[in-house]
Amino acid sequence: MQARKKYVLLGLCACCWLLLVYWGGGVQVRLLRLLTRHRGEVVRPWPNWTDRAFLPRYAHLDELQMDPGMAESPHQRRQAWSGIYKDSHCRMETCFDFSRCRRRGRDGFRVYVYPTEKNEHVSESYRKILTSIGESRYYTSDPREACLFVLGIDTLDRDQLSGQFVPNVDERIRGYPLWNEGRNHLIFNLYSGTWPNYTEDLGFNIGQAILAKASLNTEHFRPGFDVSIPLFSKDHPQKGGERGWLVRNTIPPRRKYLLMFKGKRYLTGIGSDTRNALHHIHNGKDIVSLTTCRHGKDWEKHKDARCDHDNMEYERFDYQELLHNSTFCLVPRGRRLGSFRFLESLQAACIPVLLSNGWELPFSDVIQWNQAVIEGDERLLLQVPSTVRAIGNERVLALRQRTQMLWEAYFSSVDKIVLTTLEIIKDRVFAHISRNKFMWNSLPGGLLVLPEYSTHLAHFPFYYLGLGVSPGQEFTAIIHAVSPLVSQSQPIMKLLQVVSKSKYCSQTTSRFLPHVAIETEAVLSLDEDTVLLASEVNFAFLVWRSFPERIVGYPPRSHFWDPLKHAWGYTSKWTNDYSIVLTGAAFYHRYYHYLFSHYLPPSLRALVDHTSNCEDILMNFLVSSVTHLPPIKVAQRKQYKELPNPQGTKSAPWANPEHFNQRQECVNTFANWFGYMPLVHSQFRLDPVLFKDQVSVLRKKYKDLERA
């Protein structure tokens, strides 16, 4: 009994000792404060500077006196993010309904755009995005067929102080019967948050929707689900777009200026620390780093001692001249992580040097950005000059060429930005038939490599040279016949005899049949009235085997820019300048058949079908957009002629008086859609002795383009 009492007393003593330790520390601290404080002393704000009037005030006194514990911690930021984006851990496997996309196999990837409401204000940039989707091969007007849904509500600018801000988005999207908490929805956004913090807040809950957003933070990016897109201006072209500025390579590849930046400087707020420090690396010689605080309505109220000097120095240099003549371009963060200068630098072949910690780069899932940009650290700005000076000429040349490849493949137009976003999502849905990193990061880019055709690199003509692969030694002849066969003396019968005499001919068939009906890699496309010799066919085929990614043929044409009409023109005059080789007598790879049928938008194919014309011109534009190279013309002994049809037969396209005008309209439409297509000034002569020399000369001439 006594032992039990003894243990009870010991337990009570231990509890009292623990309570004393727990509370005693706080009591002792409070007692120490009371004992050390003098009587009658008033608590003074901290800090209490005696020379306060002489010190520049970069923050309000209330901010300095704020309890440090009240500052937002990373954990609190994550909690705020999860409150706005409740499904922050979404992945394709958990927040996406694959069954909607696989009802029709690979063709089941269809995108539906909600109709915009009457009097709905839509910004120019968002209108371009919706137009790109509506004109793509993935668009459907039937929501029952859709795999992916895009809002008709403009969600690009979610800054509440912006005139483009659309209110009450949360209420409106919840009223959509197909919303389903955002599942299988795609939301585009360029600007989020507002002054002063510019957070990731969109002002509505995106739920389980895929976010295609500019200036995405790696902390909030959902890998394999969201898509980071570039920040682009409202003036960014809808289609085609300008080509890159790297017309030719210079050795050594250095420009007048090593490093440049010219832009705004923020005196206060987020993003000001980085840009306020840029003047430290400016030397006015090979490094030009210029900022101005002359922006905004009340900039003079906040100007500091450097403003006037910076503004004077800022006016001495032209921005476009700096872009053209700089090897590296600084791309520091602004109010948000992304910047317009990123795309401007890519186009100018000015290697971007990024100073934007935490930025998830555009299309980072598929693009290997370490081959095109230099990623710096905002905290180590002073190390940037020595870093870029240490980069060798070979590396500089490779980086500049990669900027051009990425610009022209994915960023030169709104169409390409939107289609790249859709293709990335499509590859996630059909992961078993998708592009690999090599396809995304080498010419001609992922958009022009259709995995439905093949996922094997050796099946695409533009990879032959790099893989060391040679095309097959046979071809399939495709003859386009519009006249009924009424006589053995018709030109088509002679043509069949000529083609069949070629030792390389495997089979003959009708034009533009599916590629599965063609057993060879090479396709010889012929019109029924083409006049050729068997030796000429054999020679053209040998030329094509050296350039299997391009069109090789006989009848040349040209398109040109008419400055008086401000439009593209078309000519059939025989000159040394040509950009088109008609498919009335030409070789090309069978992959272009598949690309013609499955890549081109319905609007272009409808134009060809409506006019019963221009399919040869469209094929030339398509192949040149893939290779960025012109076709190859081979000379012949007998000139190719467009002969009229025999009397009483069906009228051919060239017999129509409107034939030429239609082709001119087609060229203008195709040129605006595709953009740049090169012209050349050379042709092969029909001389087997000179053939090898001419091949080597032509390869040397386009060496820079092939390397790019």
Side-chain angles (χ1 to χ4, degrees), residues 123 126 154-166 188-193 202 336:
S123 65
Y126 198 62
D154 188 349
T155 57
L156 287 189
D157 194 342
R158 301 306 299 161
D159 185 343
Q160 297 181 13
L161 300 179
S162 171
Q164 306 288 342
F165 180 80
V166 179
F188 288 91
N189 175 257
L190 295 181
Y191 309 98
S192 63
L202 298 184
R336 300 173 179 86

Side-chain angles (χ1 to χ4, degrees), residues 176-468:
Y176 291 160
L178 298 172
W179 174 244
N180 192 22
E181 298 184 355
R183 181 165 289 223
N184 288 55
H185 281 67
L186 175 62
I187 294 175
F188 288 91
N189 175 257
L190 295 181
Y191 309 98
S192 63
T194 188
W195 171 268
N197 296 323
Y198 294 95
T199 63
E200 302 284 336
D201 185 10
L202 298 184
F204 66 96
N205 180 19
I206 67 171
Q208 299 179 8
I210 298 172
L211 186 61
K213 186 180 183 305
S215 305
L216 252 177
N217 194 310
T218 54
E219 186 178 348
H220 303 144
F221 177 68
R222 297 173 289 184
F225 192 74
D226 290 333
V227 180
S228 178
I229 63 175
L231 182 65
F232 60 89
S233 69
K234 64 179 181 179
D235 299 323
H236 205 58
Q238 172 80 61
K239 302 179 184 302
E242 297 181 4
R243 62 177 305 209
W245 294 357
L246 185 61
V247 179
R248 60 179 61 88
N249 290 315
T250 56
I251 304 297
R254 302 282 180 172
R255 293 176 173 175
K256 179 179 180 180
Y257 302 106
L258 174 69
L259 181 67
M260 67 79 64
F261 173 77
K262 185 179 181 182
K264 297 177 182 178
R265 176 165 68 91
Y266 306 114
L267 300 176
T268 59
I270 190 170
S272 59
D273 293 343
T274 303
R275 297 208 175 190
N276 276 335
L278 293 177
H279 73 281
H280 288 295
I281 63 174
H282 173 73
N283 62 18
K285 298 177 181 178
D286 63 339
I287 298 179
V288 178
S289 181
L290 307 170
T291 58
T292 179
C293 52
R294 189 187 291 129
H295 58 90
K297 297 179 180 179
D298 54 351
W299 69 273
E300 292 184 345
K301 297 180 181 178
H302 304 285
K303 63 184 289 188
D304 56 18
R306 279 195 7 245
C307 271
D308 292 335
H309 176 268
D310 287 353
N311 291 340
M312 291 178 58
E313 192 76 2
Y314 187 87
E315 298 299 330
R316 289 182 52 220
F317 293 87
D318 179 72
Y319 179 65
Q320 293 297 324
E321 181 183 353
L322 289 174
L323 267 181
H324 277 87
N325 295 284
S326 299
T327 305
F328 296 92
C329 285
L330 272 177
V331 184
R333 65 161 298 156
R335 293 301 191 189
R336 300 173 179 86
L337 294 175
S339 169
F340 291 130
R341 281 168 181 77
F342 182 67
L343 291 188
E344 293 170 352
S345 301
L346 285 181
Q347 182 183 9
C350 186
I351 303 165
V353 180
L354 307 182
L355 295 176
S356 185
N357 294 1
W359 182 22
E360 188 71 28
L361 294 181
F363 307 137
S364 55
D365 283 3
V366 296
I367 294 179
Q368 296 173 331
W369 282 110
N370 62 337
Q371 299 178 359
V373 305
I374 305 297
E375 293 193 57
D377 192 314
E378 296 178 49
R379 300 163 296 184
L380 303 175
L381 171 65
L382 298 182
Q383 295 183 9
V384 170
S386 59
T387 300
V388 297
R389 289 186 197 278
I391 300 176
N393 288 337
E394 291 185 2
R395 175 70 172 157
V396 169
L397 182 61
L399 288 168
R400 289 178 63 187
Q401 290 177 336
R402 185 50 55 106
T403 62
Q404 300 301 275
M405 178 262 162
L406 295 177
W407 164 259
E408 296 187 4
Y410 306 117
F411 301 109
S412 61
S413 67
V414 177
D415 269 6
K416 291 179 181 178
I417 294 174
V418 172
L419 285 176
T420 303
T421 303
L422 296 181
E423 292 291 349
I424 289 174
I425 298 173
K426 184 180 179 183
D427 276 2
R428 294 172 183 172
V429 175
F430 301 96
H432 60 291
I433 308 177
S434 59
R435 305 163 183 83
N436 56 38
K437 283 290 184 70
F438 182 86
M439 294 175 176
W440 283 105
N441 291 276
S442 59
L443 283 173
L447 297 183
L448 291 163
V449 180
L450 303 187
E452 298 92 339
Y453 175 81
S454 177
T455 57
H456 189 43
L457 296 179
H459 292 166
F460 297 92
F462 31 78
Y463 296 141
Y464 285 173
L465 185 62
L467 297 175

Side-chain angles (χ1 to χ4, degrees), residues 34 72 85 164 167 194 201 227 244 253 308 356 361 367 370 402 468 488 492 501 508 517 524 587 659 668 671 690:
L34 290 173
E72 189 179 41
Y85 304 95
Q164 306 288 342
T194 188
D201 185 10
V227 180
D308 292 335
S356 185
L361 294 181
I367 294 179
N370 62 337
R402 185 50 55 106
Q488 294 292 328
I492 189 173
K501 290 180 181 179
T508 58
L524 172 59
F587 282 95
H659 170 73
N668 196 54
L690 299 178

Side-chain angles (χ1 to χ4, degrees), residues 525 527 530 532 552-558 574 578 580-586 616 620 631-634 636 639-642:
S525 177
D527 283 344
T530 302
L532 290 172
V552 175
Y554 291 99
R557 298 291 184 268
S558 182
W574 290 74
Y578 68 91
I580 298 169
V581 167
L582 301 184
T583 55
D616 49 355
N620 273 265
I632 295 175
K633 179 195 180 308
V634 289
Q636 63 188 117
Q639 291 185 354
Y640 170 86
K641 296 181 180 180
E642 295 177 339

